[in-house]
Amino acid sequence: MTAAAQPLPAARRSKRMTPARWGLYAFIFITALYFLLPLYVMVVTSLKPMAEIRQGNLLALPVAPSIDAWVKAWTSACTGLTCQGIKIGFLNSLRIMVPSVVISILVGSLTGYALSLWRVRGGNILFGTMMVVAFIPYQVFIYPLVRVFSFTGLGQSLLTIVIIHTIFGLPTMTLLFRNYFASLPVELFKAARVDGAGFYQIYARIMMPMATPMIVVAVILQTTGIWNDFILGLVFAGRDNLPMTVQLNNIVNSTQGERAYNVDMAATLLTALLPLVVYFGSGRWFVRGIAAGAVKG
């Protein structure tokens, strides 16, 4: 190959703005604007007093920014007959989310480990059944589950909603950990077996310490799904354990007094704050875990 025919190094290639590149940048900009504009409107509205909101300039920055709406949304907004703010729902969501995430990840990782490295009789049938059930809308199961928990005496309670979230999270958690453990070198498993390690020893001392990226992915997925859930919390949590999303719905749809749009926006942002913090705080691990779990199934 002559020197003229050889491809140019990456550093020497032309960096001219071609029509294709312009189109790509335009698409990225429009997409970012599409998703960021509602967030911008929510933030600026939550910082405006109602007198300024009534002027109708939706996109204008607040003339006199104030966090009064945020304080009211957290401490004294009415969520029905009580006016204790959305903080009660925040605490309830934490009480629901933490045990649900921990239990679903523990059970899902243990199941995925067993299905990937141990020859479990009927394991493939069990795994296939779980994957089929995972694609059935969970609304189909609500009435049967209501009847089951009513018959067992659990009814609407914190324990009930934790069990529900654990059950619905198991198929996804099992799939993630099964694929991840199947991508690890099988020689590690065989060496541990030769050294006399048992089922739980290999799981706790070898597999789980190596599964940190996948654990982060599982935490993000479960935290986001459980925290944003509305209908399951409304049906199964009980009146004393209503999650933050139900409290937010009560605030936004309240018909008492003046419609406080700034309080509504502040309450919505407070509700979405924890999943955003979790995701942006562990985004690098999320990408690594997804890539690792997709190596082979």
Side-chain angles (χ1 to χ4, degrees):
M1 182 182 293
T2 62
Q6 293 180 354
L8 292 174
R12 296 177 57 188
R13 291 175 186 170
S14 174
K15 295 184 179 180
R16 292 184 299 105
M17 293 297 294
T18 62
R21 186 170 294 179
W22 276 111
L24 178 61
Y25 287 156
F27 173 77
I28 294 175
F29 176 77
I30 294 173
T31 303
L33 188 64
Y34 176 81
F35 286 103
L36 291 177
L37 185 59
L39 178 62
Y40 167 80
V41 172
M42 292 174 64
V43 172
V44 297
T45 303
S46 68
L47 297 175
K48 294 177 182 179
M50 282 304 300
E52 190 175 342
I53 293 175
R54 293 192 194 96
Q55 297 176 4
N57 197 343
L58 189 66
L59 299 178
L61 291 172
V63 176
S66 172
I67 62 171
D68 291 344
W70 290 72
V71 175
K72 182 177 180 180
W74 182 255
T75 60
S76 60
C78 294
T79 58
L81 298 178
T82 60
C83 296
Q84 298 179 341
I86 207 169
K87 62 182 179 182
I88 304 299
F90 178 83
L91 296 175
N92 289 339
S93 291
L94 282 180
R95 293 167 60 205
I96 294 170
M97 183 195 69
V98 173
S100 301
V101 170
V102 172
I103 296 173
S104 61
I105 290 178
L106 284 176
V107 178
S109 62
L110 189 62
T111 307
Y113 158 67
L115 293 176
S116 61
L117 296 173
W118 293 80
R119 294 185 177 180
V120 181
R121 179 177 297 179
N124 292 332
I125 297 176
L126 173 62
F127 181 70
T129 303
M130 292 180 66
M131 292 304 100
V132 170
V133 173
F135 289 99
I136 299 177
Y138 63 83
Q139 290 85 351
V140 175
F141 300 101
I142 288 181
Y143 180 71
L145 287 173
V146 168
R147 299 296 298 172
V148 168
F149 283 105
S150 176
F151 177 78
T152 57
L154 291 176
Q156 295 177 318
S157 64
L158 181 63
L159 177 60
T160 300
I161 188 62
V162 170
I163 294 175
I164 292 293
H165 281 306
T166 301
I167 292 173
F168 283 115
L170 276 181
T172 303
M173 296 298 101
T174 301
L175 174 64
L176 289 176
F177 282 98
R178 177 184 179 273
N179 287 353
Y180 184 80
F181 290 140
S183 69
L184 298 177
V186 70
E187 289 77 13
L188 291 174
F189 172 74
K190 292 180 178 179
R193 291 284 290 159
V194 170
D195 290 340
F199 180 88
Y200 292 103
Q201 287 178 315
I202 298 175
Y203 168 77
R205 298 184 180 181
I206 299 177
M207 295 302 161
M208 289 305 286
M210 298 180 64
T212 301
M214 190 53 61
I215 293 175
V216 174
V217 172
V219 169
I220 293 175
L221 291 178
Q222 283 295 89
T223 298
T224 304
I226 295 172
W227 191 269
N228 292 334
D229 167 68
F230 173 79
I231 188 169
L232 295 179
L234 180 64
V235 174
F236 294 102
R239 184 174 300 177
D240 296 331
N241 303 299
L242 292 177
M244 205 173 187
T245 49
V246 178
Q247 301 282 10
L248 173 64
N249 177 75
N250 294 339
I251 291 175
V252 173
N253 293 322
S254 175
T255 58
Q256 300 176 0
E258 179 188 37
R259 176 72 71 177
Y261 295 105
N262 51 357
V263 176
D264 293 348
M265 296 298 181
T268 304
L269 291 170
L270 286 169
T271 304
L273 193 59
L274 188 140
L276 289 175
V277 171
V278 170
Y279 178 77
F280 287 112
S282 55
R284 176 172 60 91
W285 289 95
F286 181 80
V287 175
R288 287 180 57 185
I290 288 293
V295 173
K296 67 179 180 179

